[in-house]
Each structure stands twice: as structure tokens, then as C-alpha cells.
Amino acid sequence: VQLKWELVWSRVQDKTVKHIIHAVGPKYNDKNSAQDNVEELITTVKSALRKADSMGCKSIAFPAISSGIYGFDNNLCAEA
């Protein structure tokens, strides 16, 4: 079971990609303010950035974490 903000990584056999960091973002919660939801998403993104830094990654790309079935609007994802 993966907990909120817990990250796992895997090696990739690809010339352009060396690692994939798997991050589970938060679900959008209508009971919280938009800002509170974005803060949780920012925590997830920062965790992934710290992990990438600790692994010596020189570049990183993010999908729209928590968009889709997790309910975050794409604009909120971009803000994070």
C-alpha cells in the first residue's frame, strides 16, 4: 500500500529515460478550499523534486499529477 506523498522509483532500459519516479497525488476534496488542495499537490511535487535531486537527476518531467479521476482541474495542476 502506498501512502500519500510516498514515492517509489524504478529503473528504465531506455537511452533517454533513466528513472521513473512514481508519485501518488492527492484527490481533490470539495470540503477543503482550492488553496488547501493545491498545497497538498505542491507537497507531492516537492517530494518528487527532492527525490530526483537525491538521485542526481539533471532533468525531470511531470504529468498533470492528480488530474483526471483524482478531480484536480488542469489549471490547478499547472499552478502546483
Side-chain angles (χ1 to χ4, degrees):
V1 171
Q2 191 167 358
L3 303 175
K4 184 171 25 174
W5 306 312
E6 182 183 5
L7 303 170
V8 295
W9 67 276
S10 56
R11 292 191 188 274
V12 179
Q13 298 297 323
D14 188 286
K15 293 179 182 179
T16 59
V17 177
K18 294 182 181 171
H19 308 285
I20 296 176
I21 299 171
H22 305 273
V24 176
K27 291 183 181 179
Y28 192 88
N29 184 343
D30 289 328
K31 295 176 185 175
N32 295 339
S33 70
Q35 184 60 37
D36 288 342
N37 282 300
V38 169
E39 289 298 323
E40 285 195 46
L41 184 54
I42 288 171
T43 300
T44 301
V45 171
K46 285 183 178 180
S47 294
L49 289 170
R50 281 192 295 276
K51 181 67 172 176
D53 185 54
S54 74
M55 294 170 66
C57 297
K58 296 191 180 0
S59 65
I60 188 169
F62 283 98
I65 296 173
S66 290
S67 66
I69 65 168
Y70 278 16
F72 270 81
D73 176 76
N74 287 337
N75 291 326
L76 288 177
C77 290
E79 285 180 37

